[in-house]
Amino acid sequence: MSEYTQGVCHDGAAILKDGKPLTIEQILEGLRERDEYRNHLAAIAEMTGNGDDIGAAHEGVNALAEDLARYKRMFAAACETLGEIQQALGNSVVGIEPELVKELIKERAALARFANEAVTTLFDSPGCDIDGKCLEDWLLDEGIIFGEPFEPNGKHSQSTLEDVEEGETILQCSQWFSSAARQAAKAEE
């Protein structure tokens, strides 16, 4: 809170705010702001049934300002916690993890193991039946697998695929999914 005092400036009196002289316009603006604040307090006092007790309204406004500051601190702490959870669910290792984070990591690993088995089964099947086609469509829609043209003399030269013609669409696991499946397999070991 600012401190207002009086002083002497050149050949007359001056009003000082925190030791610095104010211009007449600054003083008038301060008075207008004070009157506006008092009017707001009076309206608040009337709405809350306190009549003309602007002191109670002022205390209420201060309490609301303290609540707002507390909520801001709580929000900042929640954002920090969320950041820690996101970090823990990523590829980096976090030393001390809350139980919820540990549970989420276990569930993610279980889901990756299940999806890996489903994808492996899909790839190992001799052909896709109706249910297999639905699973394939879902995996494509979710970005777990993707299709691309087979290039036996280029990108896929190391592949051991049989009975696949050049340019025919082949399905492969997405990089993020392969990484999650490897992490899940390591976690089981």
Side-chain angles (χ1 to χ4, degrees), residues 69-138:
R70 185 170 50 88
Y71 291 136
K72 284 181 180 179
R73 287 190 302 274
M74 288 169 55
F75 179 74
C79 287
E80 257 183 52
T81 302
L82 178 60
E84 291 170 3
I85 290 171
Q86 288 174 327
Q87 181 182 6
L89 292 175
N91 293 332
S92 58
V93 177
V94 177
I96 299 173
E97 298 169 343
E99 286 302 312
L100 174 62
V101 173
K102 290 178 184 177
E103 190 63 31
L104 288 171
I105 291 171
K106 281 195 319 192
E107 288 177 10
R108 181 186 68 176
L111 179 60
R113 284 192 305 276
F114 167 77
N116 188 42
E117 289 174 23
V119 170
T120 302
T121 302
L122 174 68
F123 286 160
D124 289 344
S125 65
C128 286
D129 58 6
I130 293 172
D131 292 334
K133 183 61 177 168
C134 291
L135 178 61
E136 178 184 321
D137 290 343
W138 180 80

Side-chain angles (χ1 to χ4, degrees), residues 110 156 178 181:
H156 307 110
S178 297

Side-chain angles (χ1 to χ4, degrees), residues 121-169:
T121 302
L122 174 68
F123 286 160
D124 289 344
S125 65
C128 286
D129 58 6
I130 293 172
D131 292 334
K133 183 61 177 168
C134 291
L135 178 61
E136 178 184 321
D137 290 343
W138 180 80
L139 293 169
L140 284 165
D141 289 344
E142 296 302 315
I144 294 172
I145 63 173
F146 65 96
E148 67 179 8
F150 182 59
E151 299 175 20
N153 299 321
K155 184 175 183 179
H156 307 110
S157 62
Q158 302 296 319
S159 176
T160 59
L161 293 176
E162 299 174 10
D163 300 326
V164 179
E165 299 290 325
E166 184 172 350
E168 190 176 337
T169 299

Side-chain angles (χ1 to χ4, degrees), residues 18-96:
D18 298 325
K20 296 181 182 173
L22 296 173
T23 65
I24 292 175
E25 188 53 44
Q26 289 172 320
I27 294 168
L28 293 174
E29 181 61 30
L31 290 171
R32 284 194 283 283
E33 287 175 5
R34 185 206 61 192
D35 287 345
E36 185 177 332
Y37 181 67
R38 289 178 78 86
N39 290 338
H40 284 296
L41 289 178
I44 292 170
E46 188 176 318
M47 285 188 297
T48 58
N50 289 322
D52 293 333
D53 188 2
I54 64 171
H58 180 72
E59 289 174 10
V61 168
N62 284 341
L64 286 174
E66 288 173 10
D67 284 347
L68 177 62
R70 185 170 50 88
Y71 291 136
K72 284 181 180 179
R73 287 190 302 274
M74 288 169 55
F75 179 74
C79 287
E80 257 183 52
T81 302
L82 178 60
E84 291 170 3
I85 290 171
Q86 288 174 327
Q87 181 182 6
L89 292 175
N91 293 332
S92 58
V93 177
V94 177
I96 299 173

